[in-house]
């Protein structure tokens, strides 16, 4: 994209909304602070309670917002609303932006990404990719995930057991799994991780020009890599998801090259930019609650519910947005066509109407699975079962092998507002290793 076209896209999508959000946040507007100010998360329970106190549907001049479980759930399932995270505040601005955007720079949240399209196009593409993510298909990845987890832990053990939980384990595991499912060669995995980190920023509403340029460059690098890979797969389709998608696309109902590239980017990005946070958040919570960890070590059947409780209590995706496509009623209020509503998934997951004592972390909580961490409705996370399985195996394997795992310095959070997880998480596999280091 020429610098001028990039500036138009950035200005409409992030620059103008970002300026308005930051100005409102400086004035103390809660909805703006929640969307753009990382310090709003210094006390999540307080932030979530304040957001819920806005009522069933709050709002400011720019946007509406809800943190009530029932309202979030019903908007997600309501066809009066559409999901278009890249949506501009007005339709004509959106059209200018779409005209300026370079097809080679389309990222994982741009149409025709599943996340940004609606039926009938959404049904068609979702149907084509779904069969790789059925419960049966996912169960078939169990041994592969366990083997990958053990391989990564062998490596850190061989290096003396001091490692960064995020870099060396939580990030590597999901990227290796999804890349294997998609048939991406091993030598490209590290490159993918770098691209994901930069591109993940595009989910945040007030992205700076500098971060936008980094994300744009990362998406282009990924696009070039994927185009090459897709061309190879078209010549020799393998026994993997990309091979299947190429074959399906040659069978009447074609996926275009752009549909294939953008949705592969989405599957890769969604596949590892979120699960990394789930695993990191889970380890942090379990180290803070050693009694609950001890219970899980004694009874491994508790891991799946523990994963649900982490998703509820410390949600990796904090919020999403829907835009009213026609004037409609929500919780007794009129929402005008074109108005965006921020849906606070993480805050809804602490709604006391649904979860007893919601600010208490409890891996045995019976209603944990009612959380909205994977969204709901037609955009419900396609990879939810895979993420659940990856996290359960990653945690069970990690703590079975390193039951004395402990932090060696305070972990630090990522500065993104939509995705919520750790950036650095230094740990030692055993107290012995730490003592030896200090001597
Ligand atoms: C802890 C891990 C994960 C979390 C918390 C998560 C969360 C989400 C959320 C909240 C949405 C919907 C956003 C919206 O409604 O606006 C979503 C959609 C999606 N996720 Fe995930 N995700 C995770 C892992 C994965 C994995 C492992 C994959 C694939 C390998 C994946 C693939 C997708 C796809 C393709 C969509 C778009 C679905 C559609 O629009 O039809 N996700 N995810």
């Amino acid at each position: 994209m020429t610098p001028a076209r990039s500036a138009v896209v950035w200005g409409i999508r992030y620059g103008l909304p970002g300026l308005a959000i930051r100005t409102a946040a400086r004035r103390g507007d809660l909805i703006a602070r929640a969307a753009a100010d990382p310090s709003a998360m210094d006390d999540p329970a307080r932030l979530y309670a304040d957001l819920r106190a806005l009522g069933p549907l709050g709002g400011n001049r720019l946007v509406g917002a809800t943190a009530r479980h029932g309202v979030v759930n019903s908007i997600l399932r309501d066809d009066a609303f559409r999901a278009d995270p890249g949506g501009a505040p007005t339709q004509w601005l959106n059209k200018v932006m779409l005209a300026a955007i370079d097809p080679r720079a389309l990222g994982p949240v741009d149409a025709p990404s599943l996340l940004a399209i609606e039926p009938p196009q959404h049904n068609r593409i979702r149907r084509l990719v779904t069969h790789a993510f059925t419960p049966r298909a996912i169960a078939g990845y169990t041994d592969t995930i366990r083997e990958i987890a053990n391989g990564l832990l062998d490596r850190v053990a061989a290096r003396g057991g001091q490692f960064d939980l995020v870099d060396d384990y939580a990030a590597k595991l999901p990227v290796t799994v999804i890349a294997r499912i998609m048939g991406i060669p091993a030598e490209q995995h590290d490159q993918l991780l770098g691209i994901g980190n930069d591109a993940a920023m595009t989910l945040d509403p007030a992205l700076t020009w500098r971060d936008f340029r980094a994300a744009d460059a990362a998406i282009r690098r990924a696009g070039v890599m994927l185009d090459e890979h897709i061309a190879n797969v078209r010549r020799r389709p393998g026994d993997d998801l990309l091979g299947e998608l190429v074959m399906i696309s040659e069978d009447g109902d074609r996926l275009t090259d752009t549909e294939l590239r953008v949705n592969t980017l989405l599957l890769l990005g969604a596949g590892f930019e979120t699960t990394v946070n789930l695993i990191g958040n889970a380890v942090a919570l379990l180290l803070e609650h050693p009694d609950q960890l001890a219970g899980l070590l004694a009874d491994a059947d508790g891991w799946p519910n523990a994963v649900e409780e982490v998703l509820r209590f410390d949600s990796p995706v904090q919020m999403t947005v829907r835009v009213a496509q026609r004037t409609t009623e929500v919780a007794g209020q009129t929402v005008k066509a074109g108005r965006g509503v921020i849906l606070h998934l993480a805050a809804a997951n602490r709604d006391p109407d649904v979860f007893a004592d919601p600010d208490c972390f409890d891996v045995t909580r019976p209603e944990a699975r009612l959380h909205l961490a994977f969204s709901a409705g037609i955009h419900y996370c396609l990879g939810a079962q895979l993420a659940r399985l990856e996290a359960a195996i990653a945690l069970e394997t990690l703590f079975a092998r390193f039951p004395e795992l402990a932090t060696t310095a305070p972990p630090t959070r990522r500065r993104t507002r939509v995705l919520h997880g750790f950036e650095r998480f230094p740990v030692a596999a055993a107290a012995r290793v730490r003592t030896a280091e200090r001597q």
Side-chain angles (χ1 to χ4, degrees), residues 114-115 122 126 133 178 266-267 270-271 274-275 278 311 316-317 320 322 345 373-375 378-383 386-387:
L114 277 173
L115 270 179
H122 180 268
R126 179 133 180 162
F133 294 91
I178 190 67
L266 170 65
L267 283 172
T274 48
T275 314
L278 172 58
L311 284 158
V317 178
T320 185
R322 290 295 183 268
L345 305 173
F374 289 124
S375 187
I378 64 164
H379 294 282
Y380 179 79
C381 177
L382 182 66
L386 179 62

Side-chain angles (χ1 to χ4, degrees), residues 153 161 163 283 286-287 289-298 303 394-407 427-434:
L153 295 178
F163 60 105
V283 172
L286 291 170
L287 293 181
H289 296 85
D291 50 328
Q292 299 195 35
L293 176 57
L296 290 163
L297 287 172
W303 282 112
L395 295 167
E396 187 185 345
T397 314
L398 175 72
F399 285 111
R401 289 190 56 174
F402 303 146
E404 290 178 57
L405 190 87
T407 52
V427 287
R432 235 176 326 117
V433 178
R434 282 181 299 145

Side-chain angles (χ1 to χ4, degrees), residues 21 30 158 264 303 327 348 359 375 408 424:
I21 293 171
L30 178 65
T264 302
W303 282 112
T327 298
D359 294 325
S375 187
T408 51
R424 296 264 165 270

